[in-house]
Amino acid sequence: NEAALAAAKDKREKVLDSDFESARDKVTMGSPRKSMVMSEEQKLATARHEAGHTVVAFHTKTSDPLHKVTIIPHGGALGLTMQLPEEDKYCATQEEYEDRIKVLLGGYLAEKMYYGEKGSTTGVKNDLQRAKAIAASMVKEFGMSSLGPIYNSSGNDNVFLGREMAMTRRGDISEAVSSKIDKEIRVIIESCLKVAQGILRHHKVSMDSLVDELMEHETLNAEQINKALSA
């Protein structure tokens, strides 16, 4: 539907591949906010943040292929790194979850590398929230930690509203167990942080090159990304 609307807007009788491309971007990333004016300093900060995500994704084994990276604002985001799976996936391995966390932390780490320890921005909030949510699921739902096959989810799989609160009040979930869970979540995030940091440090030159390309073109496709990061 979105592709057909794009074709009609340009008064064309046929839908082109480019219409489907723009339609997919609109559905997955939101409409581009081209009217939003960013300073060169803000554009550079966004380019560095997205380059961090992109470089880590490029150099992690199980990450989905990179499709596009842009510093044109879409929806509520100032920039976006888009990955597309090669096939439908119905489950994920521990390594895949860890690689997802590494990619999410890439933007945060890039900001630290370019601007120092106190240089990260509020733009990392969503990345950090998603990274913690993945780590929490690994520990509490999938048995992917040293705690083993425990199940301690606060998801929507409870039959009765408030059941988890009642369990907590009865002491079924002790403070000791909660403390161990929090510790394991932290262990996973810190481990991924260390690996992602090593990737960015090792590939700093190609990350700088990617930042320059983003500042010049604003949006890079898969071929352009591969060229910049393979040099």
Side-chain angles (χ1 to χ4, degrees), residues 101-102 105 109 131 135 182-198:
I101 293 173
K102 294 169 195 172
L105 296 174
L109 288 169
D182 290 341
K183 182 179 179 181
E184 288 300 314
I185 292 171
R186 187 66 186 174
V187 165
I188 291 172
I189 292 177
E190 288 182 349
S191 175
C192 293
L193 194 72
K194 185 176 180 180
V195 174
Q197 189 175 54

Side-chain angles (χ1 to χ4, degrees), residues 66-87:
L66 288 154
H67 174 66
K68 181 178 293 185
V69 58
T70 181
I71 58 172
I72 296 174
H74 286 71
L78 296 180
L80 288 163
T81 300
M82 186 177 180
Q83 297 170 258
L84 290 178
E86 295 179 309
E87 58 186 16

Side-chain angles (χ1 to χ4, degrees), residues 5 43 48 90 112 127 129:
L5 288 171
K43 284 178 63 177
R48 288 171 168 174
Y90 302 100
K112 292 286 189 182
D127 295 334
Q129 285 178 328

Side-chain angles (χ1 to χ4, degrees), residues 121-187:
T121 69
T122 55
V124 304
K125 177 182 177 181
N126 183 253
D127 295 334
L128 300 184
Q129 285 178 328
R130 290 163 62 193
K132 182 179 180 181
I134 293 171
S137 292
M138 290 171 67
V139 176
K140 297 166 69 177
E141 299 178 32
F142 307 133
M144 296 176 178
S145 76
S146 64
L147 294 181
I150 66 168
Y151 186 84
N152 195 358
S153 175
S154 58
N156 295 323
D157 52 352
N158 290 324
V159 176
F160 301 106
L161 182 65
R163 178 173 179 267
E164 178 129 354
M165 293 178 63
M167 289 172 63
T168 304
R169 285 197 297 268
R170 290 200 310 267
D172 293 349
I173 302 174
S174 67
E175 290 185 11
V177 171
S178 295
S179 178
K180 288 180 180 179
I181 289 172
D182 290 341
K183 182 179 179 181
E184 288 300 314
I185 292 171
R186 187 66 186 174
V187 165

